[in-house]
Amino acid sequence: MKTQQEIDYTRIADAIGFFRENFKAQPKLDEVAEHVNLSPFHFQRMFKDWAGVTQNNSCSI
């Protein structure tokens, strides 16, 4: 059984992969959150905690 930290890491890794695959389309927060099965609120909070930047800022890096 995975720990919550492992589950969260996998979700963020999946989200980053989704950004890479769809970078030209500049996916919206809702799209990425849906891809990793989280609400937009929880995804944004989790992404900021793990990546240190918001989802919008990560797309421009």
Side-chain angles (χ1 to χ4, degrees), residues 2-61:
K2 288 186 175 184
T3 66
Q4 187 61 49
Q5 188 173 14
E6 291 170 325
I7 293 168
D8 292 349
Y9 176 85
T10 300
R11 283 180 166 157
I12 296 304
D14 287 347
I16 291 170
F18 187 79
F19 287 136
R20 285 184 179 156
E21 292 170 10
N22 299 287
F23 74 95
K24 288 184 181 181
Q26 293 289 299
K28 304 273 188 237
L29 174 67
D30 293 347
E31 295 173 87
V32 184
E34 182 178 335
H35 180 76
V36 295
N37 299 314
L38 290 171
S39 71
F41 172 81
H42 284 101
F43 171 71
Q44 184 171 15
R45 193 175 73 195
M46 182 187 297
F47 191 87
K48 175 107 168 69
D49 288 346
W50 277 82
V53 294
T54 64
Q55 171 259 347
N56 286 337
N57 290 340
S58 71
C59 289
S60 63
I61 293 176

